[in-house]
Amino acid sequence: MATGQKILLGGVSALLLVAVIIGVVAGVMRSTNHIGDDFEMPSTNKNNINTVSKSIDSLCHITDYKDTCVDTLSTVNDDNGSPDPKSIVTAAIKATSVEFEIAFKKSKTMGDGTHDNMNKEALTDCHELLEYAIGELQDALASSERGDAEHIRRRSDDLKNWLSAVMAYQVICLDGLTHPELKTNMTKGLDKATELTKNALAITTEITNLLDSMKDALHLKDGLIGMGGAGAAAAGGGLLTAGFLKGGRKLLNSGVNDGGRYPQWFSAAERKLLRSTHSNKVKPNIVVAKDGSGNFSSIQKAIDSVPLKSTERFVIHVKRGVYKENVIIGKKTLNVFMYGDGSKKTIITGNKNFIDGTPTFRTATLAAMGNGFICKSIGFQNTAGAEKHQAVALRVQSDLSAFFNCRMDAYQDTLYAQTHRQFYRNCVISGTIDFIFGMSSSVFQNCLIIIRKPMDNQRNIITASGRSYKYEDTGIIIHNCRIVPDRSLQHFRKEVKSYLGRPWKEYSRTIYMESQIGDLIQPEGWLEWDGDYALKTLDYAEYANTGPGANTSERVQWKGYHIIKSKAEALKFTVGNFLEGDSWISYTGIPFIKGLKN
């Protein structure tokens, strides 16, 4: 970042910090009547209002769409002329939600003149994806309206998670459309929604970063948090109640039980069950078996029997066998724990693919959308083959989802880590082109990544991150994994070029840490997508990897690529920090490394 930019952002932050303090103090004092009889509320004056107005304008300068931002935040001042962080964030999310409702209605009238089946399906996908976006925004809005500034700060990871998913749904919708007129119309219909989503992400990030910096600057005294220096002067010498700006972040759907933090959908009994890594110790609600010895012989029928929107953990045991079916775990099917008898014994297989007319979004052998999905000891396959191009074995949209001892096998686009927070441990993933891809926040730990032999004249690429905006807290993290050639590629591994990743979207983020990289990876390591597209804005990095393919002396010289040299920077991308793993993975029964291995 240029020096001038740093000075500008510093000024923006300082000005906004003063205004935020004004708003928070005013809001807290108005709702508190037991501070003390000798406390006098600082009067709202013209200078304060001018400061607030300037702060809103300054905040909007960090967004991509400044005029839209100013228009969105023009009504956030309360009766005393003081905006607070809750009002600012809520206004940004609410405006985005309203615009998506409008875009969704418009989309229903599109495509009447489009007769090709692929685009008809893609348009249906758009409608579904926009419904998902509206749902995510409603969740974010409900959360932002629920609490105060401290609530906003503590829930910032959840808010950004929802907003990042909303960004992803827009991109996936547009990518699926190939009819020129239809794509143009849908793009125009989503233009304003895209602007507002990006602004909401930027605003939420900037506000919560400022609140974090305020937390560090404030101190507890006599049960109150005092302010000193410029902040106290700007706020008229006020004090904040002890409930403001204390405590760490906590996931929105997490609670406290027996002194520990874990998602509410884990009861104490379930937590004990799921801590066991031995699936035969878990008593299932239903059993799926090919031989008729269970409750169902079809996995989909078993999924269809799960109570919708349940807050209780629902356990499904899928006995050994090859299940030839495409399974969908719907958005309202929550908290499913599904386990098999081993990833080579319990196998779900399908062959839907792009070449035969199915959009990539719909090719998955299993699609997990309901939040809280946990899976152990199951294999997922798409057997369409390399010649059928995009053919997904597993698509995951489920937030706070985890996979342990699972296997995903296909060629192009094997694992679609689509959206939200995901964790993969001790899994095997094989493929050829972009075979780990998506727009989620995903960590792969202790996994075996197998590169297969592609078609003639093709190159192998392991990852393709779809992070499309700089404020998204998303990316693909490969930690303590092994990258090796498949037996079919072993003899040709030096002839077929293989790469660690390429940028699917402009702000693509992929980090390899403490992993063993085989000699099949090209010395330059990474591959461009299309000329110089995204090479300045992507975020690719490597840290403490080993093996013949880990030599970084001949790596690409892109502006967006770097070698991580400090442990502190690497820790940002670990399970504990990137996924807040202590808040939920701890109670899935899945082992994990919270930080770095060494």
Side-chain angles (χ1 to χ4, degrees), residues 126-180:
C126 278
H127 297 154
E128 183 177 323
L129 289 160
L130 293 181
E131 284 187 304
Y132 292 153
I134 291 168
E136 306 276 2
L137 288 165
Q138 288 172 345
D139 288 341
L141 185 59
S143 177
S144 68
E145 290 178 332
R146 186 176 299 138
D148 55 10
E150 166 64 351
H151 177 86
I152 294 294
R153 187 189 71 81
R154 293 175 65 193
R155 303 300 193 237
S156 62
D157 285 340
D158 296 287
L159 294 172
K160 287 185 284 186
N161 172 56
W162 282 313
L163 291 169
S164 295
V166 171
M167 280 292 304
Y169 297 143
Q170 298 170 70
V171 172
I172 297 164
C173 163
L174 295 174
D175 278 359
L177 299 170
T178 58
H179 188 282

Side-chain angles (χ1 to χ4, degrees), residues 229-248:
L239 296 172
L240 302 182
T241 61
F244 181 72
L245 296 178
K246 69 176 182 178

Side-chain angles (χ1 to χ4, degrees), residues 475-533:
I476 297 170
I477 313 301
I478 309 292
H479 181 212
N480 196 39
C481 295
R482 287 197 300 136
I483 293 100
V484 301
D486 183 63
R487 289 180 181 177
S488 63
L489 182 63
Q490 176 66 29
H491 181 71
F492 306 97
R493 71 187 187 281
K494 296 296 182 69
E495 300 170 24
V496 177
K497 293 185 177 181
S498 299
Y499 301 87
L500 298 173
R502 61 174 179 166
W504 179 22
K505 298 300 175 185
E506 192 172 2
Y507 291 90
S508 180
R509 173 187 282 157
T510 304
I511 316 291
Y512 282 80
M513 304 192 302
E514 298 185 314
S515 293
Q516 184 178 337
I517 303 175
D519 63 359
L520 72 167
I521 296 299
Q522 291 296 299
E524 59 268 33
W526 307 81
L527 182 67
E528 70 280 355
W529 184 275
D530 182 15
D532 61 358
Y533 169 77

Side-chain angles (χ1 to χ4, degrees), residues 423 443 445 479 513 571-582 584-585 592-595:
F423 179 60
V443 176
Q445 195 175 87
H479 181 212
M513 304 192 302
L571 282 169
K572 296 176 184 177
F573 301 105
T574 57
V575 170
N577 290 319
F578 195 67
L579 294 182
E580 287 198 308
D582 283 349
W584 59 285
I585 300 174
F592 68 97
I593 303 169
K594 176 183 176 181

Side-chain angles (χ1 to χ4, degrees), residues 336-404:
V336 171
F337 171 43
M338 189 165 74
Y339 68 94
D341 293 333
S343 64
K344 290 186 177 182
K345 297 176 181 178
T346 299
I347 299 170
I348 309 171
T349 183
N351 61 3
K352 287 186 177 182
N353 61 85
F354 183 83
I355 292 298
D356 288 345
T358 303
T360 304
F361 181 69
R362 298 289 181 188
T363 63
T365 299
L366 184 139
M369 293 179 280
N371 292 345
F373 179 67
I374 298 172
C375 189
K376 292 184 181 181
S377 304
I378 292 179
F380 305 93
Q381 296 178 351
N382 190 312
T383 59
E387 66 278 5
K388 295 294 185 177
H389 295 192
Q390 295 95 331
V392 177
L394 175 65
R395 174 168 68 88
V396 184
Q397 185 180 326
S398 170
D399 193 19
L400 306 178
S401 56
F403 295 80
F404 179 52

